[in-house]
Structures are given as structure tokens and as C-alpha cells.
């Protein structure tokens, strides 16, 4: 899972707007509100599409595991897969439902605060990827290896386990390292915008 980021130059454009207008008028303030609102809505759309892709993949896996339940030889793997994927989807849905909708009548500060809150929620979500996303699926993959690879083929088991471990570590780094760092950078830029506006008042 990887959170797609919006272009980094857009926040600098807003900063430039404030810097070039030391005494912003009504139209400038209205333009700033619209711009921040647009970015917040764009971020919401990004998260919505990201979640939709996760739900679609989860639905396919659940359908597959449900079909595998009819095979007694793979029933344990199927049940474990249903539990793992179901947990991931429920947790993702629960985390997304906590996001409050935008108020169309809000000012620039309120929109910026809403955007910061959204960044914070995604930072917390991605910072815990190892627990709610990777760990359930990693345990399921290990179980699948143990159940499908014969015990006498220990070398094959070890290679498969090393592969899924490396894959899991990569997913953790991609989210908790790279994606969280990008989100924190964008959060700092929004805070800088708020501070800039405060100094202009």
C-alpha cells in the first residue's frame, strides 16, 4: 500500500501568494480559501481512490478464500486468509470514517487545519502499517508456506519465507519510511502557510 502524494510545488505557490500580497484584500483571501479547499478535497480524493483499490483487492481475495473453503485440504489457509484480509479492510474502513467532512463556509485557517488533521491521520495510519496491514498478511503467508511446501523441502520453505519477509519489510519501509516522511514535509508546509498568514494579520 502506498499513499500517492500531491505535487510538492503547489504549497510553495500558496506561500508565494501570501508573500507577494503583504496586505491581502478580500479577493486575495477568498482565493486563498478556494485554493486550500481545493487541495484538501484533492487529498480526500487521493485517499478515497487509495482505499477503493484496497477494498477491491480485498474483495477479490475474500471471494477467492470463500471459494477455497469448499476444499478441505486448503480450508485452514482459506479461513486464515479471510481473517487476515477482513481485519485489514475493517481497520482501514474504521480509520477513514473518523475523517470529518469539510465545512463549505470555513475560512482559510479552518481549511488548513482540516488539511493538517488529514495529514496527521494518514501519518498515524501509515506509521502503524507493520501492525494492522503487514503483520496479518505476513502471518498468513507464512502459514501458507508451511501448509503447501512439504516439510522435506526445507530449502524451499526457507527461500519462500525469506522472500515474503523481504517483501513485508519493503512494504513497511515504503509506508512508514518514505510515505510518512513525505506527509510530514507537506504538513510542515501547511503550518508555514498558517504562520505566514498570522504574521500578515
Amino acid at each position: 500500500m502506498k499513499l500517492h502524494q500531491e505535487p510538492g510545488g503547489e504549497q510553495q505557490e500558496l506561500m508565494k501568494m501570501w508573500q507577494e500580497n503583504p496586505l491581502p484584500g478580500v479577493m486575495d483571501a477568498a482565493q486563498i480559501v478556494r485554493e486550500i479547499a481545493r487541495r484538501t478535497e484533492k487529498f480526500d480524493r487521493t485517499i478515497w481512490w487509495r482505499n477503493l483499490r484496497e477494498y477491491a483487492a480485498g474483495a477479490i481475495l475474500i471471494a477467492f478464500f470463500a471459494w477455497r473453503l469448499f476444499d478441505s485440504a486448503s480450508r485452514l489457509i482459506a479461513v486464515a486468509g479471510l481473517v487476515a484480509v477482513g481485519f485489514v479492510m475493517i481497520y482501514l474502513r474504521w480509520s477513514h470514517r473518523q475523517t470529518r467532512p469539510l465545512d463549505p463556509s470555513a475560512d482559510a485557517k479552518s481549511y488548513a487545519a482540516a488539511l493538517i488533521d488529514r495529514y496527521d491521520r494518514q501519518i498515524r495510519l501509515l506509521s502503524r502499517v507493520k501492525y494492522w496491514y503487514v503483520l496479518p498478511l505476513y502471518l498468513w503467508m507464512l502459514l501458507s508456506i508451511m501448509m503447501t511446501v512439504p516439510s522435506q523441502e526445507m530449502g524451499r520453505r526457507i527461500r519462500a519465507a525469506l522472500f515474503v519477509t523481504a517483501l513485508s519489510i519493503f512494504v513497511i519501509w515504503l509506508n512508514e519510511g518514505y510515505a510518512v516522511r513525505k506527509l510530514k514535509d507537506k504538513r510542515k508546509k501547511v503550518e508555514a502557510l498558517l504562520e505566514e498568514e498570522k504574521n500578515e494579520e
Side-chain angles (χ1 to χ4, degrees), residues 174-192:
L174 195 63
N175 288 274
E176 297 189 9
Y178 178 77
V180 167
R181 185 168 59 251
K182 296 285 285 185
L183 282 172
K184 286 182 177 179
D185 289 343
K186 291 180 182 299
R187 188 190 189 284
K188 289 179 182 178
K189 291 173 183 177
V190 176
E191 288 181 327

Side-chain angles (χ1 to χ4, degrees), residues 4-22:
H4 178 68
Q5 302 297 323
E6 58 182 326
E10 294 179 348
Q11 297 293 353
Q12 285 88 333
E13 292 175 11
L14 279 179
M15 180 72 76
K16 185 178 179 182
M17 287 170 58
W18 267 312
Q19 290 173 340
E20 292 178 351
N21 294 276

